[in-house]
C-alpha cells in the first residue's frame, strides 16, 4: 500500500503545520512508513505553500507525490497549479469558501467544506481552518482522530491546543455529514 497526499494553499493558512501533524501522527501512532516534502515561497504569507506526504506499509523509495490519491486544496490558485499531480479518481478535499468545485476535473471525488467559514463562524477565527480541514481529513481513514489529537497536544503551542482540538472535532462533525469512503481500514 502506498498513499500519496498533496496539501496546498497559500502561506499563512497553516498548510505546513497540517502536513507535519499528519506525518507526525502516522509516524508515531501507526505502523506505516511516512515521508514528506514541502515547498513554500520566501514570504511568510500569500505565496504558494505545498506539502507532499507519502504513507506506505513498505520502505518509501520516492518521497514526493507523483500521482496523489488524496489532495487537499485550501486556495483556488493552488488547485489549478497542482492538479497535474493528482490522479484521476482521487479524493480531493477543498475549502469551498475559497475553491470553486466546478473548476476542478470531473474525474475527482470532491469533498467540499467551507473550512475557513466554519472556523470563523463557529470558532471566531479563520486561523484554525487548517485544523477544521484536518478533522475532516480523519474521516478518510488514513489517520485516526485520536492520533491527530495527541499530535496536536504534543506539537502545537499550549495556548492554541484547546482551540485546535475544537476545530478538529468541528471538521469531523461536518465531514460526517458528507458521504466518504475510508481509504484504509
Amino acid at each position: 500500500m502506498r498513499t500519496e497526499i498533496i496539501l496546498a494553499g497559500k502561506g499563512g493558512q497553516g498548510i505546513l503545520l497540517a502536513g507535519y501533524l499528519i506525518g507526525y501522527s502516522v509516524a508515531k501512532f501507526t505502523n506505516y512508513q511516512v515521508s514528506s516534502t514541502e515547498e513554500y515561497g520566501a514570504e511568510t504569507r500569500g505565496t504558494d505553500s505545498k506539502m507532499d506526504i507519502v504513507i506506505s506499509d513498505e520502505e518509501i523509495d520516492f518521497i514526493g507525490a507523483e500521482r496523489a490519491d488524496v489532495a487537499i486544496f485550501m486556495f483556488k490558485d493552488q488547485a489549478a497549479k497542482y492538479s497535474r499531480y493528482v490522479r484521476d479518481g482521487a479524493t480531493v478535499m477543498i475549502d469551498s469558501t475559497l475553491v470553486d468545485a466546478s473548476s476542478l476535473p470531473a474525474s475527482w471525488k470532491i469533498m467540499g467544506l467551507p473550512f475557513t467559514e466554519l472556523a470563523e463562524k463557529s470558532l471566531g477565527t479563520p486561523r484554525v481552518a487548517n485544523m477544521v480541514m484536518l478533522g475532516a481529513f480523519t474521516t478518510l481513514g488514513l489517520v485516526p482522530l485520536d492520533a491527530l489529537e495527541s499530535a496536536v497536544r504534543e506539537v502545537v503551542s499550549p495556548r492554541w491546543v484547546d482551540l485546535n482540538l475544537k476545530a478538529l472535532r468541528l471538521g469531523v462533525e461536518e465531514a460526517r455529514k458528507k458521504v466518504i469512503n475510508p481509504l484504509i481500514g
Side-chain angles (χ1 to χ4, degrees):
M1 178 282 298
R2 178 184 168 101
T3 302
E4 297 181 0
I5 303 165
I6 292 175
L7 286 90
K10 61 181 182 173
Q13 289 184 300
I15 298 298
L16 301 182
L17 175 60
Y20 179 80
L21 288 169
I22 291 170
Y24 184 88
S25 297
V26 171
K28 186 164 183 180
F29 301 108
T30 74
N31 292 322
Y32 295 111
Q33 302 290 313
V34 65
S35 70
S36 64
T37 61
E38 56 189 50
E39 300 173 27
Y40 50 90
E43 296 86 3
T44 307
R45 298 198 182 283
T47 59
D48 283 358
S49 182
K50 176 180 173 272
M51 187 167 228
D52 293 355
I53 302 166
V54 176
I55 300 171
S56 179
D57 58 358
E58 298 177 356
E59 185 174 330
I60 297 171
D61 57 351
F62 182 75
I63 62 173
E66 296 177 294
R67 301 299 296 160
D69 304 288
V70 177
I72 301 166
F73 295 118
M74 296 286 288
F75 198 72
K76 64 181 176 182
D77 295 344
Q78 287 72 25
K81 182 175 183 177
Y82 298 116
S83 66
R84 69 183 182 273
Y85 298 109
V86 181
R87 71 171 176 78
D88 287 342
T91 298
V92 178
M93 295 174 55
I94 61 168
D95 184 336
S96 61
T97 308
L98 305 169
V99 180
D100 178 13
S102 68
S103 67
L104 303 176
S107 66
W108 292 352
K109 298 175 209 152
I110 306 289
M111 178 187 147
L113 283 172
F115 303 126
T116 301
E117 183 179 308
L118 286 166
E120 267 184 304
K121 288 184 178 178
S122 299
L123 301 168
T125 179
R127 292 184 68 178
V128 292
N130 62 335
M131 295 297 152
V132 176
M133 174 273 295
L134 280 179
F137 174 79
T138 65
T139 65
L140 299 178
L142 290 166
V143 178
L145 177 60
D146 59 341
L148 204 49
E149 288 174 333
S150 293
V152 165
R153 286 184 191 97
E154 293 178 24
V155 172
V156 172
S157 170
R159 71 184 184 105
W160 285 95
V161 168
D162 288 341
L163 183 59
N164 279 287
L165 292 174
K166 287 178 187 173
L168 281 173
R169 292 179 193 120
L170 176 63
V172 170
E173 189 179 302
E174 292 297 320
R176 286 187 176 153
K177 296 175 184 176
K178 303 272 184 176
V179 177
I180 301 171
N181 295 320
L183 298 174
I184 294 179

